[in-house]
Amino acid sequence: MISHRTSLRVLALAAAATALSACGGGDKPATETAETTTPAAEAPAVDVAAPAAEAPAVETVAFASLTGDAANGEKVFGQCRACHVTDPGVNRVGPSLHGVIGRTAGSIEGFKYSPANKNSGLVWSEEQLFTYLEAPQKTIPGTYMAFAGLKKPQDRADVIAYLKTQA
């Protein structure tokens, strides 16, 4: 009598043999046990000379080519409100973004910035914010800002237009 554990081993070996034969592991049948032999199912032909499908091109949009909409930017800024406000002198988890455009990164007195942010030397121009808001960790590796970023260029331009009204 074959135990349950032995049956599982036989099935596992059969699956492994099938996988190996599908990968060109030999010319033996796909599944083979001591008791039975079953011919492998034919796999569909693969044209190894065909070029691999190319990944879609990433759209690069320059900030200067966009017109920001401050009203929509205020809505998009809702994602930022968990950590930031635009009230002057009010810091939360993140620093106040009141008057951020033109300010040096890491410069609000008394706010605990990451060393990466404080020592970045960046000045928050509209173009720099546009880049930063796409991928904060990529722009300033080591920043404490855990936000993944705003992937849509128009959303970033709109948030910047809104922040310009908050100075």
Side-chain angles (χ1 to χ4, degrees):
M1 177 176 234
I2 297 176
S3 72
H4 180 68
R5 191 173 284 176
T6 302
S7 296
L8 290 176
R9 283 188 191 137
V10 169
L11 288 174
L13 289 171
T18 300
L20 285 174
S21 68
C23 295
D27 54 3
K28 292 187 178 182
T31 57
E32 186 175 271
T33 65
E35 299 169 349
T36 62
T37 301
T38 309
E42 288 192 31
V46 176
D47 184 2
V48 294
E54 292 184 27
V58 175
E59 181 182 7
T60 304
V61 177
F63 175 70
S65 70
L66 300 170
T67 302
D69 176 351
N72 189 57
E74 184 174 12
K75 291 175 190 170
V76 176
F77 187 78
Q79 298 176 52
C80 311
R81 280 197 174 87
C83 298
H84 295 281
V85 294
T86 56
D87 302 326
V90 178
N91 297 318
R92 290 196 176 164
V93 172
S96 171
L97 296 180
H98 178 80
V100 68
I101 297 173
R103 184 167 73 208
T104 301
S107 64
I108 291 182
E109 199 63 41
F111 186 80
K112 186 176 182 239
Y113 291 97
S114 66
N117 192 294
K118 191 164 185 75
N119 299 321
S120 69
L122 295 177
V123 174
W124 295 123
S125 66
E126 293 174 40
E127 291 79 10
Q128 186 61 61
L129 278 170
F130 185 76
T131 300
Y132 181 76
L133 290 174
E134 181 179 18
Q137 291 286 336
K138 183 178 175 186
T139 305
I140 303 178
T143 184
Y144 292 156
M145 187 160 146
F147 183 62
L150 297 171
K151 301 307 176 202
K152 296 179 183 173
Q154 188 61 57
D155 284 350
R156 296 193 309 273
D158 292 348
V159 167
I160 292 165
Y162 169 67
L163 289 173
K164 285 171 56 175
T165 69
Q166 303 299 304

